Amino acid sequence: MNKGKIKLGLIGGGPNSFIGPVHRIAAYMGERYDLVGGVFDIDYEQSKAFAEKLELDASRAYKDLDDFISGELSRPADERIEAVSILTPNFLHYPMAKRLVGEGFHVICEKPITMTAAEAVELAELVEQKGVVFSLTHTYTGYPMVRQMKAMIAAGALGKIHKMDAQYYQGWINPFIHEKDKRAGVWRLDPAKSGQSCCFGDIGVHAFNLLEYTTGLTINKVLADINTLYEDNPLDVDGTALVRTTDGVRGIVRASQIATGEENNIVVTVYGDKAGLRWEQENPTYLKFMEEGKPAQILKPGNPYLSEFSLESTKIAPGHPEGLFDAMGNIYSGTAQAIRKESYRDGAFPTVQDGVRGMNFIEAVLESSKNGQVWVSI
Amino acid sequence: MNKGKIKLGLIGGGPNSFIGPVHRIAAYMGERYDLVGGVFDIDYEQSKAFAEKLELDASRAYKDLDDFISGELSRPADERIEAVSILTPNFLHYPMAKRLVGEGFHVICEKPITMTAAEAVELAELVEQKGVVFSLTHTYTGYPMVRQMKAMIAAGALGKIHKMDAQYYQGWINPFIHEKDKRAGVWRLDPAKSGQSCCFGDIGVHAFNLLEYTTGLTINKVLADINTLYEDNPLDVDGTALVRTTDGVRGIVRASQIATGEENNIVVTVYGDKAGLRWEQENPTYLKFMEEGKPAQILKPGNPYLSEFSLESTKIAPGHPEGLFDAMGNIYSGTAQAIRKESYRDGAFPTVQDGVRGMNFIEAVLESSKNGQVWVSI
Amino acid sequence: MNKGKIKLGLIGGGPNSFIGPVHRIAAYMGERYDLVGGVFDIDYEQSKAFAEKLELDASRAYKDLDDFISGELSRPADERIEAVSILTPNFLHYPMAKRLVGEGFHVICEKPITMTAAEAVELAELVEQKGVVFSLTHTYTGYPMVRQMKAMIAAGALGKIHKMDAQYYQGWINPFIHEKDKRAGVWRLDPAKSGQSCCFGDIGVHAFNLLEYTTGLTINKVLADINTLYEDNPLDVDGTALVRTTDGVRGIVRASQIATGEENNIVVTVYGDKAGLRWEQENPTYLKFMEEGKPAQILKPGNPYLSEFSLESTKIAPGHPEGLFDAMGNIYSGTAQAIRKESYRDGAFPTVQDGVRGMNFIEAVLESSKNGQVWVSI
Amino acid sequence: MNKGKIKLGLIGGGPNSFIGPVHRIAAYMGERYDLVGGVFDIDYEQSKAFAEKLELDASRAYKDLDDFISGELSRPADERIEAVSILTPNFLHYPMAKRLVGEGFHVICEKPITMTAAEAVELAELVEQKGVVFSLTHTYTGYPMVRQMKAMIAAGALGKIHKMDAQYYQGWINPFIHEKDKRAGVWRLDPAKSGQSCCFGDIGVHAFNLLEYTTGLTINKVLADINTLYEDNPLDVDGTALVRTTDGVRGIVRASQIATGEENNIVVTVYGDKAGLRWEQENPTYLKFMEEGKPAQILKPGNPYLSEFSLESTKIAPGHPEGLFDAMGNIYSGTAQAIRKESYRDGAFPTVQDGVRGMNFIEAVLESSKNGQVWVSI
């Protein structure tokens, strides 16, 4: 069995990638991964140049996935890349993940996990069969105060939950959506590249995931009203989903990419019969705890009054903000624990099952909306 | 025609009333009303004692509404009470308003205007027929920054509106709702006293009103999911309504009385193709203006960069907060302008038509929810 | 002895007055005063017109203070104005207050109480001798959460205080100060009208007062560095004062009128060995309580967990903001309690002794600064 | 000349170090450094174990600084460690930096740079003589919005600056300071380990640095009042310094470690005749721009409306928070630019001259306070 740092490969994420640095930095943060090689770019020359820039062994910059797999499998087991981060365009996540899992690589995969729920289910089965670790980067679950929220709810701080509300509002598509020519040029609005859904597939699913992650509840019914804004636009850019959990708790998932002027305004609020909790992504170091009959409390990372899970997810003393890279770093560290078969906490990283649930949610949202806002089971 | 201060009467609002001081102070604020008399309490002795405490003419403390009407009508026109504020329990608003309007009094009425939409329509017709002023205290419309929001939207600051979201979250019912005995003792959960709806009737309708007030749009379709939380509880304590306007804009009205730890958390957000605007009731002196591609701006009352409507609704220099009493004061002042047949701005006070719209909304919410979350026209 | 509502007169505060409505509304709020007459404007015709507009008895609109005093004293005691609010330009506060106190009227006086500390001392002696109530409108002490801060500190919530810091930053003078012609036209920069100090006399003294009010400590040493910004400007527009209390606690009083873009940014923070407390005037309904080793708490008005003093200073349920008018209303109500010889809490209204302390502080600041920032005793 | 990644060594920062991960992650972030070796711990066995854990070449884990220097200098120039981060206890910064600079290593040094101003001056001369890069980790200057503040002020957004105010309030020493035994055990209160000053040496100097960094002004006079709180405590735990710049601008530097309940509450505010700017470390992604006569604007990282300097200091799209590690990463990246003789912006990293200025400030503060709060030149 391998020990020490995990040899990491990347598919995508090279020059000009927005998400590449997030993953690489996240991998460096916990000092548990060693970036060894990959297919950094679809253009082989660019890929090699990128490897050179990072001072990686030139022979580990591969032309394509086939090349990567055969190249790595031909090496001795203790030199071989063990885990691969998939940072390609959306429609490639599934085929590449399937291929890599099939060959026994651990996989860290960007969202969306697949293009359909059926694919996600199939992938989940393969992951189980192969016994590899599969980590899906629902990055926000890596924030210390999201983990604190999960830990507090699990410990009963809210009592019995009776209402939940998650918002993910962005405005980035507003400058492009109103003119036919401009919106035609947005890849996220192209089903072939983006999948069945734009807004819910990209961000609504984060809001859904945060509700399930923090509460531990299972959403099993959805009624949704999505909006493409223009008839010739094939994909949703906005919408609201009413949800219910298996034990009847009602919630709301609100998502938008036409919330003009918003950047990344995620707000997750959960209320129970003892208290409420609210977390906002743009001020991620504040968790508001509203106990019945008492002044609201503002919990902040790194303080002794927090749960162990939250404290383990902070690298610095109270009052020094951490951000998105640190959240992703926590997910990479949790994934490393699983790969090295160390004990790890529930929620240390999102799994392939979270991917299945997310895809089921997205498809339920689309079905509900297509049929005129009816309840659909997940 | 009467001139000078308006002679004001009160029905209800006497000793131990929570809302009485709000109305009296609001009336005093603009120095346009003279409180003359009324039926201050259902107990005649209490009513008289209250008049004495306020040093009113003892003969203007009446036993009941009949007494009030006959007493005032017997006086010379220039001594007679001209306007009456109705601050009684909910189920009495309609019969009293009908009676007073019928006799030619101007009326300032607490919410809900009536118990049914049909009653509201009937009342609106009577108001028109009698030519009196009818003011409904949707108090939040009196805030300077809500008026600024209305003025900016009317002036095109948001461009074409494409999304709106209003929240009214309270937690006050949480301590009472979970035990059968306790919830049975809450008057707001008794249909005979409270009407057809608790949460939407009391607060959801404010959120609805704020969307229509600020945007000038007309909501004509509703799909709602309300929650009584317990089967033996006859009235809603929580719910979400998807709404659409006559020109297809989608919105959300979210309301709760079980949002544990929340006090009066109203948030109104409207997005258009040029910008977004957000106002929060618990920080009422801040209006967030999010223009496409620019830094968000924080507008505050009393500044020269504001609309005239907003500036007229502030009594003090920038940086000195005003609050709920000041908002109600603005509504009283607007009502006074109408009573004295001065020119006044659209939105200076909520009218009987706002009452009709609110009751229609509430009934549509209930019908939608009863029928399993279907679209209902308003 | 008089009973019931207190007959109130105004000197100043008529048409075009900024502060007039604040006082009148504050007097109306508690329903303990009856506005009867006054010298509303220096122009007699304007004064009479103002009385007519407010529908006051025309004979109670006086030409000047002499007229007012002789007119009122000639009436039967039970019809006579009992309390007078002085809202004139600064340099008239002292002579008018002295005259009115000397004739036995209760006085509510705007800041600054006098032009010199010696005058304040003299006035204080006269107030004591005459046995009247003298209320100085340090308005911010009327806010419910400032009173909560005072109550908590008195109850030991902070333990032993070891540091305090008060800021009052405005930017209003910035547009006028940089050009000689413009600044020459600002009355607050004219010592004849404004007194010895502009910034510290007008606002620094509020910051000083809030430290003493909330902590109950006595500041007895000052070292100050004030700034006139231009040599030909006779009065300070900015400055910082280091202060020490009789028991050695150090503090800072920071004030500015050239803090460009600030409106009325008052922040009062006090730290003890158990906890810290912070209040900000522009968000007056939030009091931050930072207990050692615990999450910060956000206290809000009207909640059962507050002190009685704070709860008595709020007129409405939690979550409905009150503002400056309400704070002034509390001061008027406290003054009424004193006038009617009811029991009242320490801090219910600022007294003539607060005025003496404020003038001593201002003179110490000026002396310290003039002598090159040396320690000066108060 | 060397190319590619910079070979980095660490002195200190090994197991159990709080600051070690900050530096290592910062070095990884920009992918411009390769961590090669060092003296990770004073205990050689621990140091070697740490190198093994990080999978470094065992021969690069040195016993002590002498060993490190002779070991590295014995290697071929292109294999040699080029830059060294000094993360030892405070009193070792100077001797180690002097030694390393003397041998031609580039140095990245934790604060405080030295124990005395004289040492700092000497070190600065040596740095110049040796032509190496010396980077002092005033980490907060690495935040994108601090850099935006600097860029805006340089571009004239504030006009002529006329006031500045910097606060750095912590409460961490409160639990230890009040009992003699406890405070005796705090190393930061031991002059042998901590230097001449605790509060100003550790954090006041950051506030000072942020004023000079953002404004580009030079502070040349100080009047300070520091507080040890207890007579037997040799070092300051709190204090305030009045400052003036070479062109007469006045400012305030406020620092405390007994601000109970505060974590790392840095606030930097600068006002000019056109506008004001405020940045707060605990919400580092918001920069408040208060332009005369306009609504305040909230600038956020990554947006096109920002300066190039700020944009280059952000690694991700708007709305995704970055934090302290990212700020330190920016400083490491700026230092790398200098080491590789690339062009870099003024302010890309704090230099040895910033260290000299800081030490001068600290000594001036101490001298002023010792002499009873007199003005001292820097």
Side-chain angles (χ1 to χ4, degrees):
Chain A
M1 195 183 99
N2 285 327
K3 284 194 274 188
K5 286 192 175 179
I6 296 158
K7 290 181 181 57
L8 180 69
L10 298 185
I11 312 296
N16 309 318
S17 167
F18 161 85
I19 201 71
V22 179
H23 282 260
R24 293 199 304 277
I25 290 170
Y28 303 145
M29 268 189 174
E31 299 178 319
R32 303 216 46 180
Y33 293 87
D34 196 15
L35 176 58
V36 170
V39 186
F40 300 108
D41 197 278
I42 197 168
D43 174 335
Y44 189 24
E45 296 309 311
Q46 292 258 26
S47 187
K48 284 188 289 188
F50 192 73
E52 191 182 347
K53 190 186 149 206
L54 293 191
E55 302 188 356
L56 305 179
D57 177 347
S59 73
R60 305 299 266 273
Y62 296 99
K63 197 176 56 186
D64 57 25
L65 186 64
D66 284 339
D67 213 27
F68 174 91
I69 288 173
S70 60
E72 289 299 320
L73 292 183
S74 70
R75 292 178 186 269
D78 65 346
E79 291 180 14
R80 201 179 291 161
I81 284 175
E82 306 168 67
V84 182
S85 296
I86 302 178
L87 314 179
T88 60
N90 288 357
F91 68 98
L92 293 172
H93 293 176
Y94 164 68
M96 289 187 158
K98 191 174 162 184
R99 194 69 212 287
L100 286 160
V101 168
E103 299 289 354
F105 291 93
H106 303 294
V107 165
I108 296 163
C109 189
E110 260 301 314
K111 279 190 31 276
I113 189 169
T114 55
M115 299 293 263
T116 69
E119 290 168 355
V121 169
E122 190 196 315
L123 188 59
E125 283 164 4
L126 190 64
V127 166
E128 188 173 15
Q129 181 193 318
K130 290 288 174 179
V132 299
V133 174
F134 191 99
S135 179
L136 184 69
T137 51
H138 271 300
T139 318
Y140 308 115
T141 65
Y143 274 108
M145 299 321 276
V146 170
R147 293 175 167 202
Q148 174 65 15
M149 194 166 167
K150 179 183 184 64
M152 287 176 76
I153 292 176
L158 300 196
K160 180 168 162 31
I161 291 172
H162 55 226
K163 178 174 181 71
M164 53 198 201
D165 186 336
Q167 168 189 292
Y168 196 149
Y169 280 1
Q170 299 180 326
W172 72 269
I173 226 169
N174 180 60
F176 307 105
I177 197 69
H178 303 294
E179 291 175 42
K180 195 163 184 170
D181 285 357
K182 283 190 185 165
R183 65 181 169 259
V186 176
W187 76 260
R188 281 202 182 275
L189 295 177
D190 177 357
K193 292 179 185 145
S194 185
Q196 308 169 74
S197 165
C198 177
C199 179
F200 270 78
D202 189 33
I203 62 171
V205 69
H206 274 301
F208 163 84
N209 172 260
L210 283 167
L211 286 182
E212 290 205 339
Y213 182 82
T214 55
T215 63
L217 299 178
T218 300
I219 291 169
N220 71 337
K221 284 177 68 183
V222 173
L223 180 157
D225 186 23
I226 62 173
N227 193 359
T228 63
L229 211 57
Y230 294 97
E231 283 198 8
D232 66 321
N233 170 28
L235 297 183
D236 54 305
V237 293
D238 176 85
T240 304
L242 308 179
V243 301
R244 296 197 187 170
T245 70
T246 48
D247 52 355
V249 176
R250 307 195 192 193
I252 315 164
V253 174
R254 297 174 289 123
S256 188
Q257 294 164 327
I258 54 167
T260 309
E262 300 287 3
E263 296 185 350
N264 222 39
N265 194 345
I266 305 175
V267 184
V268 185
T269 315
V270 180
Y271 303 102
D273 58 12
K274 287 189 184 166
L277 275 168
R278 177 178 301 123
W279 179 78
E280 305 191 7
Q281 195 266 159
E282 297 203 14
N283 288 291
T285 59
Y286 300 79
L287 177 64
K288 188 171 186 180
F289 179 47
M290 300 172 281
E291 225 171 336
E292 179 62 57
K294 295 188 184 169
Q297 296 176 41
I298 307 299
L299 284 66
K300 294 174 69 188
N303 282 293
Y305 53 69
L306 298 177
S307 64
E308 287 183 14
F309 189 23
S310 179
L311 285 170
E312 291 164 6
S313 305
T314 300
K315 302 182 294 297
I316 194 140
H320 289 98
E322 294 181 292
L324 186 83
F325 290 87
D326 308 277
M328 186 68 104
N330 288 331
I331 287 175
Y332 265 78
S333 293
T335 307
Q337 292 177 310
I339 291 173
R340 283 289 173 262
K341 299 193 187 301
E342 301 163 7
S343 72
Y344 60 92
R345 293 186 190 275
D346 174 43
F349 62 95
T351 69
V352 71
Q353 289 303 335
D354 292 302
V356 171
R357 291 204 54 69
M359 290 309 301
N360 282 337
F361 171 70
I362 294 165
E363 293 195 351
V365 161
L366 295 171
E367 185 185 337
S368 171
S369 211
K370 194 176 60 184
N371 294 327
Q373 292 77 57
V374 295
W375 287 102
V376 171
S377 293
I378 299 191
Chain B
M1 196 184 99
N2 285 329
K3 283 194 278 189
K5 288 192 175 179
I6 296 158
K7 289 181 180 60
L8 180 69
L10 299 185
I11 311 296
N16 308 319
S17 167
F18 161 85
I19 202 70
V22 179
H23 283 260
R24 293 198 305 275
I25 290 169
Y28 304 145
M29 270 190 171
E31 299 178 318
R32 302 214 49 179
Y33 293 88
D34 197 16
L35 176 58
V36 170
V39 185
F40 300 108
D41 197 278
I42 198 169
D43 174 336
Y44 189 25
E45 296 310 311
Q46 291 257 26
S47 187
K48 284 187 289 188
F50 191 73
E52 191 182 347
K53 187 184 151 210
L54 294 190
E55 303 187 358
L56 305 179
D57 177 346
S59 72
R60 305 298 267 272
Y62 296 99
K63 196 175 57 187
D64 56 27
L65 186 65
D66 284 338
D67 212 27
F68 174 91
I69 289 172
S70 61
E72 289 299 318
L73 292 183
S74 71
R75 292 178 186 269
D78 64 346
E79 290 181 14
R80 202 179 291 162
I81 284 174
E82 305 168 70
V84 181
S85 296
I86 302 178
L87 314 178
T88 59
N90 288 358
F91 68 98
L92 293 173
H93 293 175
Y94 165 68
M96 288 186 159
K98 190 173 162 187
R99 192 73 212 284
L100 286 161
V101 168
E103 299 288 355
F105 290 94
H106 303 294
V107 166
I108 297 163
C109 189
E110 261 300 316
K111 278 184 37 270
I113 189 169
T114 55
M115 299 293 263
T116 70
E119 290 168 353
V121 169
E122 189 195 318
L123 188 59
E125 283 164 5
L126 189 63
V127 165
E128 187 172 18
Q129 182 192 319
K130 290 289 176 176
V132 298
V133 174
F134 191 99
S135 179
L136 184 69
T137 51
H138 272 299
T139 318
Y140 308 115
T141 66
Y143 275 108
M145 300 320 277
V146 170
R147 294 174 167 203
Q148 174 65 15
M149 194 166 168
K150 180 183 185 63
M152 288 177 76
I153 292 176
L158 299 196
K160 180 168 162 30
I161 290 171
H162 55 225
K163 179 174 179 71
M164 51 199 203
D165 186 338
Q167 167 189 292
Y168 198 148
Y169 280 0
Q170 299 179 325
W172 72 269
I173 225 169
N174 179 60
F176 307 104
I177 197 69
H178 302 295
E179 291 174 44
K180 196 162 183 172
D181 284 357
K182 283 190 184 166
R183 64 182 170 259
V186 176
W187 75 260
R188 280 202 183 274
L189 295 177
D190 176 357
K193 291 177 186 148
S194 185
Q196 306 170 73
S197 166
C198 176
C199 178
F200 270 78
D202 189 32
I203 63 172
V205 70
H206 274 300
F208 163 85
N209 172 260
L210 283 166
L211 286 182
E212 291 205 338
Y213 181 82
T214 56
T215 64
L217 299 177
T218 301
I219 290 169
N220 71 337
K221 284 177 67 184
V222 174
L223 181 157
D225 185 24
I226 61 172
N227 193 358
T228 62
L229 211 55
Y230 294 96
E231 283 198 8
D232 66 321
N233 171 27
L235 296 183
D236 54 304
V237 292
D238 176 85
T240 305
L242 308 179
V243 300
R244 297 197 186 170
T245 70
T246 48
D247 51 356
V249 176
R250 305 195 193 191
I252 316 163
V253 173
R254 298 174 287 125
S256 189
Q257 293 163 328
I258 54 168
T260 309
E262 301 286 3
E263 295 185 350
N264 222 40
N265 194 345
I266 304 175
V267 184
V268 185
T269 316
V270 180
Y271 302 102
D273 57 12
K274 289 189 183 166
L277 275 168
R278 177 178 301 122
W279 178 79
E280 306 190 7
Q281 196 266 158
E282 296 202 13
N283 288 291
T285 60
Y286 300 79
L287 178 64
K288 188 171 187 181
F289 180 45
M290 302 172 280
E291 225 172 335
E292 179 61 56
K294 296 188 185 170
Q297 295 175 44
I298 308 299
L299 284 68
K300 294 174 68 187
N303 283 293
Y305 54 70
L306 298 176
S307 65
E308 287 184 14
F309 189 22
S310 178
L311 286 170
E312 292 163 6
S313 304
T314 301
K315 302 181 296 294
I316 194 143
H320 288 98
E322 294 181 292
L324 185 84
F325 290 87
D326 307 277
M328 186 68 104
N330 288 331
I331 287 175
Y332 265 78
S333 293
T335 306
Q337 291 176 309
I339 290 172
R340 283 289 173 262
K341 300 192 186 301
E342 300 163 8
S343 72
Y344 60 92
R345 294 186 190 275
D346 174 44
F349 63 94
T351 69
V352 72
Q353 289 303 333
D354 293 302
V356 171
R357 291 203 55 69
M359 290 310 301
N360 282 336
F361 170 71
I362 293 165
E363 293 195 351
V365 162
L366 296 172
E367 186 185 336
S368 171
S369 212
K370 194 177 59 183
N371 295 328
Q373 293 77 55
V374 295
W375 287 103
V376 171
S377 295
I378 298 190
Chain C
M1 196 183 97
N2 284 328
K3 283 194 277 188
K5 288 192 173 178
I6 296 158
K7 289 182 181 59
L8 180 70
L10 298 185
I11 310 297
N16 309 318
S17 168
F18 161 86
I19 201 69
V22 179
H23 283 261
R24 293 198 305 276
I25 290 170
Y28 303 146
M29 269 189 171
E31 299 178 317
R32 304 214 48 178
Y33 293 88
D34 195 16
L35 176 58
V36 170
V39 185
F40 301 107
D41 197 278
I42 198 168
D43 174 336
Y44 189 25
E45 296 310 311
Q46 291 257 27
S47 187
K48 284 188 290 187
F50 191 73
E52 191 182 346
K53 188 185 150 210
L54 293 190
E55 303 186 357
L56 305 179
D57 178 346
S59 72
R60 306 298 267 270
Y62 296 98
K63 196 175 57 187
D64 57 27
L65 187 64
D66 284 339
D67 212 28
F68 174 92
I69 289 172
S70 61
E72 289 298 320
L73 293 183
S74 71
R75 292 179 185 268
D78 65 347
E79 291 181 12
R80 205 179 289 163
I81 285 174
E82 305 168 67
V84 181
S85 295
I86 302 178
L87 314 179
T88 60
N90 288 357
F91 68 98
L92 293 173
H93 293 176
Y94 165 68
M96 288 186 159
K98 189 173 164 186
R99 193 71 212 287
L100 286 160
V101 168
E103 299 289 355
F105 291 92
H106 303 294
V107 166
I108 297 164
C109 189
E110 260 301 314
K111 281 186 30 272
I113 189 170
T114 56
M115 300 292 264
T116 69
E119 289 168 355
V121 169
E122 189 196 317
L123 188 59
E125 284 164 2
L126 189 63
V127 165
E128 187 172 18
Q129 180 192 320
K130 290 290 176 177
V132 299
V133 174
F134 190 99
S135 178
L136 183 70
T137 52
H138 272 298
T139 317
Y140 308 114
T141 64
Y143 274 108
M145 299 320 278
V146 170
R147 294 176 167 201
Q148 175 65 16
M149 195 166 167
K150 180 182 184 64
M152 287 176 76
I153 292 175
L158 300 195
K160 181 168 160 33
I161 291 172
H162 55 225
K163 178 172 180 71
M164 53 198 201
D165 186 337
Q167 167 189 291
Y168 197 149
Y169 279 2
Q170 298 179 326
W172 72 269
I173 225 168
N174 181 60
F176 308 104
I177 195 72
H178 303 294
E179 290 175 44
K180 195 162 184 171
D181 285 357
K182 282 190 187 167
R183 65 180 170 260
V186 176
W187 76 259
R188 282 204 181 274
L189 295 176
D190 176 357
K193 291 177 186 149
S194 186
Q196 306 170 76
S197 166
C198 176
C199 179
F200 270 78
D202 189 32
I203 63 172
V205 70
H206 274 300
F208 163 84
N209 172 260
L210 283 167
L211 286 181
E212 291 205 338
Y213 182 82
T214 55
T215 63
L217 299 177
T218 299
I219 291 169
N220 72 336
K221 283 177 67 183
V222 174
L223 179 157
D225 186 23
I226 62 172
N227 193 358
T228 63
L229 211 56
Y230 294 96
E231 284 199 6
D232 66 320
N233 170 28
L235 296 184
D236 54 305
V237 292
D238 176 86
T240 304
L242 307 179
V243 300
R244 298 198 185 169
T245 70
T246 48
D247 50 357
V249 176
R250 306 196 192 191
I252 316 163
V253 174
R254 298 174 288 123
S256 188
Q257 293 162 328
I258 55 167
T260 309
E262 301 286 5
E263 296 184 349
N264 223 40
N265 194 345
I266 306 175
V267 185
V268 185
T269 315
V270 180
Y271 303 102
D273 58 13
K274 288 190 184 166
L277 274 168
R278 177 179 300 123
W279 179 79
E280 306 192 6
Q281 195 266 159
E282 296 202 14
N283 289 291
T285 60
Y286 300 79
L287 178 64
K288 189 171 186 180
F289 180 47
M290 301 171 282
E291 224 172 337
E292 179 63 57
K294 295 189 185 169
Q297 296 176 41
I298 308 298
L299 283 67
K300 295 174 69 188
N303 283 293
Y305 53 69
L306 299 176
S307 64
E308 286 183 14
F309 188 22
S310 178
L311 286 170
E312 292 164 6
S313 304
T314 300
K315 303 181 293 295
I316 194 140
H320 288 99
E322 294 182 292
L324 186 83
F325 290 87
D326 308 277
M328 185 68 104
N330 288 331
I331 288 174
Y332 266 79
S333 293
T335 307
Q337 292 176 310
I339 290 173
R340 283 290 173 261
K341 300 192 185 303
E342 300 162 9
S343 72
Y344 61 93
R345 293 186 190 275
D346 174 44
F349 63 95
T351 68
V352 72
Q353 289 304 333
D354 293 301
V356 171
R357 292 205 52 71
M359 291 309 302
N360 282 337
F361 170 71
I362 294 165
E363 293 194 351
V365 162
L366 296 171
E367 185 185 338
S368 171
S369 210
K370 194 176 61 185
N371 295 328
Q373 293 76 58
V374 295
W375 287 102
V376 172
S377 294
I378 298 190
Chain D
M1 195 184 101
N2 285 328
K3 283 194 278 189
K5 287 192 174 179
I6 296 157
K7 290 182 181 58
L8 180 69
L10 297 186
I11 310 295
N16 308 320
S17 166
F18 162 84
I19 201 70
V22 180
H23 282 260
R24 292 199 306 276
I25 290 170
Y28 303 144
M29 269 191 173
E31 299 178 319
R32 302 214 50 179
Y33 294 87
D34 196 15
L35 176 58
V36 170
V39 186
F40 301 108
D41 198 278
I42 198 169
D43 175 337
Y44 189 24
E45 296 309 313
Q46 292 257 25
S47 188
K48 284 188 289 188
F50 191 72
E52 192 183 346
K53 188 185 150 208
L54 294 190
E55 302 187 358
L56 305 178
D57 177 348
S59 71
R60 305 299 266 273
Y62 296 98
K63 197 175 57 187
D64 57 26
L65 186 64
D66 284 338
D67 212 27
F68 174 92
I69 288 173
S70 61
E72 288 299 320
L73 292 183
S74 70
R75 293 177 185 268
D78 65 347
E79 290 180 13
R80 203 178 290 161
I81 284 174
E82 305 168 69
V84 181
S85 296
I86 302 177
L87 314 179
T88 58
N90 288 357
F91 68 98
L92 294 173
H93 292 176
Y94 165 67
M96 289 188 158
K98 191 174 163 186
R99 194 69 214 286
L100 287 160
V101 168
E103 299 288 356
F105 291 93
H106 303 295
V107 166
I108 297 163
C109 188
E110 260 301 313
K111 281 184 35 269
I113 189 168
T114 55
M115 300 291 264
T116 69
E119 290 167 354
V121 170
E122 189 196 316
L123 188 58
E125 284 164 2
L126 189 63
V127 166
E128 188 173 17
Q129 181 192 318
K130 291 288 176 178
V132 299
V133 174
F134 190 99
S135 179
L136 183 69
T137 51
H138 271 299
T139 317
Y140 308 114
T141 66
Y143 274 109
M145 300 321 277
V146 171
R147 293 175 167 202
Q148 174 64 16
M149 194 166 167
K150 179 182 184 64
M152 286 177 77
I153 292 175
L158 299 196
K160 182 170 163 27
I161 291 171
H162 55 226
K163 178 173 181 72
M164 51 198 203
D165 186 337
Q167 168 188 292
Y168 197 148
Y169 280 0
Q170 299 179 326
W172 72 268
I173 226 168
N174 180 59
F176 307 104
I177 197 70
H178 303 294
E179 290 174 44
K180 196 165 183 170
D181 285 357
K182 284 191 186 167
R183 64 180 170 260
V186 177
W187 75 259
R188 282 204 182 274
L189 295 177
D190 176 357
K193 292 178 186 149
S194 185
Q196 306 170 74
S197 165
C198 177
C199 179
F200 270 77
D202 188 33
I203 63 171
V205 69
H206 274 300
F208 164 83
N209 172 260
L210 283 167
L211 286 182
E212 290 205 340
Y213 181 82
T214 55
T215 64
L217 299 177
T218 300
I219 291 169
N220 72 337
K221 285 176 68 182
V222 174
L223 180 158
D225 186 23
I226 61 172
N227 193 357
T228 63
L229 211 56
Y230 294 96
E231 283 198 7
D232 65 323
N233 170 29
L235 296 183
D236 53 305
V237 292
D238 176 87
T240 304
L242 308 179
V243 301
R244 296 197 186 171
T245 70
T246 49
D247 52 355
V249 176
R250 307 197 190 189
I252 316 162
V253 173
R254 298 174 287 124
S256 188
Q257 293 163 327
I258 54 167
T260 309
E262 301 286 4
E263 296 184 350
N264 222 40
N265 194 344
I266 305 175
V267 185
V268 185
T269 314
V270 180
Y271 303 102
D273 57 12
K274 288 189 185 166
L277 274 167
R278 176 177 302 124
W279 179 79
E280 306 191 7
Q281 196 266 159
E282 297 203 11
N283 288 291
T285 60
Y286 299 79
L287 178 64
K288 188 171 186 181
F289 180 47
M290 301 171 281
E291 222 171 337
E292 179 62 56
K294 295 188 185 169
Q297 296 175 43
I298 307 298
L299 284 67
K300 294 174 68 187
N303 283 293
Y305 53 71
L306 298 176
S307 65
E308 287 182 15
F309 189 23
S310 179
L311 286 171
E312 291 164 6
S313 304
T314 301
K315 303 181 294 297
I316 194 139
H320 288 99
E322 294 181 291
L324 186 84
F325 290 87
D326 308 276
M328 186 68 105
N330 287 331
I331 287 174
Y332 265 79
S333 293
T335 307
Q337 292 177 310
I339 290 173
R340 284 290 173 260
K341 299 194 187 302
E342 300 162 10
S343 73
Y344 60 91
R345 294 185 190 275
D346 174 43
F349 62 95
T351 69
V352 71
Q353 289 303 333
D354 292 303
V356 171
R357 292 203 54 68
M359 290 309 302
N360 282 336
F361 171 71
I362 293 165
E363 292 194 351
V365 161
L366 296 171
E367 185 185 338
S368 171
S369 211
K370 193 176 62 184
N371 294 329
Q373 293 77 56
V374 295
W375 286 102
V376 172
S377 293
I378 299 191

